[in-house]
Amino acid sequence: MSDSCSSLPASSRAAMTLAEAVHDGAPVVSGPDGENGDSDGSEQVGIATKTRAKPKKPSQFKVLMLNDDYTPMEFVVMVLKRFFHMDLEQATRVMLHVHQKGVGVCGIFPYEIAETKVNQVMDFARQNQHPLQCTLEKA
């Protein structure tokens, strides 16, 4: 900033500094009505904004439960309630679908969540000595 500004009040110095920054070093002081010193009014001061790209949604994966002849139906219902937060009616419906069709969808999640749920179900089934199988596939 030039020495000629040092005798101005602080608010005018701030205005001068802003004007210098906006007009590449050519000092322009705003008048009381907000107009700058230009008489043609062709120059406009705006705020530069950055547009943010919206993040795309993560790929979704189906968590599938596979039927077997050994895991009790009650255990499957318990798993669906515990790990997929289904109520008794919905868990029973999914369990019967798995039993009759051989495979059923337990839920659709982003990859990391689907993978975690598959691992939780498989670990829980193993701990309870059941051969229940659970897998994931791209939705």
Side-chain angles (χ1 to χ4, degrees):
M1 189 160 60
S2 65
D3 290 304
S4 62
C5 294
S6 58
S7 62
L8 294 174
S11 61
S12 294
R13 283 196 303 253
M16 174 101 37
T17 304
L18 177 61
E20 287 175 350
V22 170
H23 294 285
D24 295 326
V28 176
V29 178
S30 296
D33 59 355
E35 293 287 326
N36 61 15
D38 297 342
S39 59
D40 63 355
S42 63
E43 289 195 38
Q44 294 182 350
V45 177
I47 297 174
T49 60
K50 229 187 228 185
T51 56
R52 291 186 181 175
K54 291 182 182 178
K56 65 179 188 175
K57 292 185 178 179
S59 298
Q60 299 290 300
F61 288 80
K62 295 179 197 175
V63 176
L64 304 173
M65 189 170 286
L66 307 175
N67 188 40
D68 65 69
D69 294 332
Y70 303 102
T71 305
M73 292 180 176
E74 294 81 15
F75 183 79
V76 174
V77 169
M78 181 176 54
V79 165
L80 292 168
K81 287 172 61 178
R82 183 176 193 167
F83 297 107
F84 298 97
H85 307 290
M86 295 182 186
D87 59 23
L88 180 61
E89 185 180 324
Q90 187 181 11
T92 302
R93 207 175 313 121
V94 171
M95 176 274 298
L96 288 172
H97 180 85
V98 171
H99 181 70
Q100 293 166 354
K101 305 288 183 183
V103 65
V105 177
C106 301
I108 300 175
F109 308 95
Y111 179 77
E112 289 82 9
I113 295 171
E115 183 181 40
T116 299
K117 290 199 178 280
V118 166
N119 290 332
Q120 288 173 330
V121 169
M122 298 286 285
D123 290 345
F124 188 67
R126 246 181 272 127
Q127 288 169 2
N128 288 277
Q129 300 171 351
H130 294 298
L132 182 65
Q133 293 293 303
C134 196
T135 186
L136 58 91
E137 74 176 27
K138 197 162 174 79

